[in-house]
Amino acid sequence: MGTAKRASSRVQGVSALALLCAMAILTAPGLAAGSAYAAPGAPSSPAAPAAPEPGGKSLEQVRKEIEDLYRQAGTATDAYNLAVGETKAQSERIVEIAKLVVAGQDRITGLKDRAGAAARAQYRSGGLPPGAALALSDSPSAYLDGAGRLRQGEKATTDLLAELNRTQGDLVQYAKDAGALWQKMEENRVKQEAAKKEIEDKIKAAEALENRLEAEEKARLIQLEQEAQYKAQTAWLSSGAMKDVSGSATEAGKRAVQFATAQMGKPYEWGAVGPNTYDCSGLTSQAWLAAGRGIPRTSQEQLRLLPKVALKDMRPGDLIIYFDDASHVGMYVGDGAMVHAPRPGRNVTMAGAGSMPIKAVVRPDA
């Protein structure tokens, strides 16, 4: 999909700026991935005034309401994905604890067998006090040699009992740990269900708004989305944001970009990590996994745990975190563009890196 890179090499100055602005325009659903951008320049037709809706809302107001609902769904999706990830980690830890419990129980059985054998050996010796055993012994030297071995045996028995107590203590702690993890898993299950309901409610509300529109209004809605992103990208570029950005991708970054751009045209689906559908952080996390690096699953965790870099130092493969709540993420691919999974009802596509409010840039391969 090197459209942006090839085109930018043919233009300089103002024409390059115009091209990068045009790259902000998203493709409509169903268009081929290769048609992700309009031709260089401004939108092909001037914006017509938005017709009022029967309920008194303009189409632009409806667009903003739909966009806000999908934003809220995106935030809930991040919460859902985080809860799913934590539940998976807790479940794996519980399995590890179960294995430790089995091993500990086997060890206790072995220790008890050894303790029983030591007790039986002492019983066979008669269990006489040391003074009486010496007086009755035919060979004092043999007795003293045996007494030394007995002391060694007593120490071994003491150590064995101490180990038995430690192992039993470990089992008690394992039980406590497992109980705490089960409780967290239940809490996460509740979080997942709440987030899932919120996601579904917001998406249904957005879809209901969109479904009330006529075919012509739906087409105009897509155009309004494109124009809003074009305007944001133009303002971002005009601010000089890209003036000093010239970083080159690492080999891992190239592989991540290659994977992400190869997914263009595939539908957005909340909670999805491919191979046929993605949500925004599902796309970025899988792209970097394909490049050989595991990164956090959610955009908020990507922001929290990955190293941040200055915008001027941005290079292809870096992740751009959007909005104050870090509810969206895209992958920078160079020339002022990024690839992302936008929202339900839209496909993975390329857009202007400044077409949404940027919160931070993070680097998976720092």
Side-chain angles (χ1 to χ4, degrees), residues 44-305:
S44 56
S45 60
E53 292 298 298
K57 294 179 181 178
S58 70
L59 195 57
E60 174 62 14
Q61 288 173 319
V62 172
R63 180 194 72 79
K64 289 181 178 179
E65 191 171 342
I66 290 173
E67 183 179 279
D68 187 55
L69 285 167
Y70 280 128
R71 278 276 322 282
Q72 293 174 43
T75 302
T77 298
D78 229 34
Y80 175 87
N81 289 337
L82 181 60
V84 169
E86 288 179 345
T87 298
K88 182 174 182 292
Q90 288 152 3
S91 178
E92 290 172 350
R93 178 58 182 156
I94 285 174
V95 171
E96 291 175 4
I97 288 175
K99 292 177 180 177
L100 290 171
V101 168
V102 171
Q105 289 172 335
D106 289 345
R107 183 158 189 77
I108 284 177
T109 299
L111 291 170
K112 286 182 176 178
D113 289 344
R114 286 168 54 192
R120 288 190 295 273
Q122 185 176 8
Y123 175 78
R124 286 193 298 271
S125 72
L128 293 173
L134 177 60
L136 296 173
S137 175
D138 294 332
S139 173
S141 62
Y143 165 77
L144 293 174
D145 182 56
R149 288 197 298 273
L150 181 61
R151 282 194 296 273
Q152 292 176 353
E154 288 174 344
K155 183 179 184 305
T157 300
T158 301
D159 293 344
L160 184 149
L161 292 174
E163 186 175 356
L164 180 62
N165 288 333
R166 282 196 302 271
T167 305
Q168 288 176 326
D170 288 343
L171 290 180
V172 170
Q173 186 60 49
Y174 293 154
K176 290 180 180 178
D177 291 345
L181 286 170
W182 279 114
Q183 183 177 348
K184 287 182 180 178
M185 282 181 66
E186 176 59 19
E187 292 171 356
N188 276 325
R189 185 192 66 78
V190 172
K191 288 179 185 177
Q192 286 177 45
E193 290 300 317
K196 181 179 179 181
K197 185 178 186 306
E198 182 177 357
I199 293 163
E200 292 174 342
D201 288 348
K202 299 298 183 185
I203 291 176
K204 284 178 182 176
E207 289 174 342
L209 280 174
E210 198 161 353
N211 288 338
R212 281 164 34 199
L213 303 176
E214 300 294 336
E216 183 178 341
E217 291 172 324
K218 288 181 180 179
R220 175 64 181 139
L221 181 67
I222 293 171
Q223 186 180 1
L224 287 174
E225 288 179 2
Q226 294 171 347
E227 289 169 356
Q229 293 180 25
Y230 175 92
K231 182 179 179 181
Q233 175 76 350
T234 301
W236 184 68
L237 292 172
S238 297
S239 72
M242 287 293 298
K243 181 168 61 75
D244 298 320
V245 179
S246 60
S248 299
T250 61
E251 287 304 312
K254 290 176 183 176
R255 291 194 297 271
V257 168
Q258 183 178 19
F259 179 94
T261 53
Q263 311 314 306
M264 290 173 64
K266 294 183 178 180
Y268 177 104
E269 181 183 3
W270 67 267
V273 291
N276 299 318
T277 58
Y278 295 89
D279 63 21
C280 65
S281 57
L283 176 66
T284 54
S285 60
Q286 289 303 300
W288 272 102
L289 187 62
R293 291 179 183 267
I295 65 172
R297 167 67 178 89
T298 71
S299 56
Q300 292 174 351
E301 288 297 280
Q302 289 168 3
L303 172 65
R304 187 173 73 88
L305 298 175

Side-chain angles (χ1 to χ4, degrees), residues 20-36:
L20 293 176
C21 292
M23 287 165 52
I25 301 179
L26 291 171
T27 182
L31 293 182
S35 303

